[in-house]
Amino acid sequence: MKKFITTIAISLFLAFGCTEQMSVNTPVDNSTKKVDWLTINTDHGLSVEGTKTWTKSVNGANGATFSSTKSLCEYTSAYVKIQVPAGAFTGTKTISATLNCETLYADFAPTPMTFNTPVYYTVEYRGVDLSGIDPTNLDFYYIDGYGNMVKATYDEIYVDVANNILGVVNARLPHFSRYGFVN
């Protein structure tokens, strides 16, 4: 009888233990649209030198707005504007957005950080090679708390292929994670 129970237990372990693994971040909704982050076509490969961070210490009760333009690499720059409405969070936090020369997304910190009211994010990339990009299929997404890519709410996306300019205006950030362009 012991051998019979042991055999059944091992069979069940093998049958169920070898099925497809699902993690906590596996999307519950399998109808989520498959999208990929847009990358910048460069000839100089990945480099740490192309990474820039916009940082500011913000009192959540007061809010703040900060913006500036930084060169990401030889031909590409980014204008970033972050507006934190008064009351978006409690306490004082040092918040940041990190962009680099090869991707068209920003990593925001600290994470996890959720807001009482959305933070507004505007970014304009200049000097990006937009050849091969379908402007009608371009959108702006973020990663939610479950690892899903979700379409963000924003006022406007603009694409100027002739002048190598791409931007989004007032994207609403309900929390900090990765936000960027997809095609």
Side-chain angles (χ1 to χ4, degrees), residues 135-155:
T136 62
N137 195 30
L138 195 67
D139 217 331
F140 198 76
Y141 274 62
Y142 68 92
I143 298 177
D144 72 6
Y146 301 100
N148 299 310
M149 291 182 68
V150 178
K151 184 179 180 335
T153 302
Y154 51 82
D155 289 348

Side-chain angles (χ1 to χ4, degrees), residues 69-148:
T69 301
K70 295 184 182 186
S71 175
L72 298 176
C73 56
E74 185 176 1
Y75 301 107
T76 306
S77 65
Y79 165 78
V80 168
K81 179 180 177 184
I82 300 171
Q83 297 171 274
V84 180
F89 58 89
T90 58
T92 299
K93 307 261 189 212
T94 299
I95 62 173
S96 66
T98 301
L99 290 72
N100 74 54
C101 193
E102 286 80 24
T103 59
L104 291 172
Y105 59 72
D107 288 315
F108 288 86
T111 58
M113 185 173 178
T114 303
F115 304 109
N116 299 326
T117 58
V119 167
Y120 291 89
Y121 171 61
T122 296
V123 63
E124 178 180 275
Y125 292 93
R126 290 184 164 267
V128 292
D129 180 2
L130 298 171
S131 60
I133 305 285
D134 178 2
T136 62
N137 195 30
L138 195 67
D139 217 331
F140 198 76
Y141 274 62
Y142 68 92
I143 298 177
D144 72 6
Y146 301 100
N148 299 310

Side-chain angles (χ1 to χ4, degrees), residues 38-42 44-47 50-51 73 100-104:
L38 202 54
T39 56
I40 300 170
N41 186 10
T42 63
H44 36 79
L46 296 174
S47 67
T51 300
C73 56
N100 74 54
C101 193
E102 286 80 24
T103 59
L104 291 172

Side-chain angles (χ1 to χ4, degrees), residues 1 4 23 43 49 52 59 61-62 67-68 74 78 82-84 86 102 113 115 122-123 136 138 145 160 165 167 180:
M1 184 69 171
F4 179 70
S23 74
D43 293 331
E49 294 81 22
K52 300 292 189 234
N59 179 322
N62 300 332
S67 63
S68 70
E74 185 176 1
I82 300 171
Q83 297 171 274
V84 180
E102 286 80 24
M113 185 173 178
F115 304 109
T122 296
V123 63
T136 62
L138 195 67
D160 182 344
I165 299 171

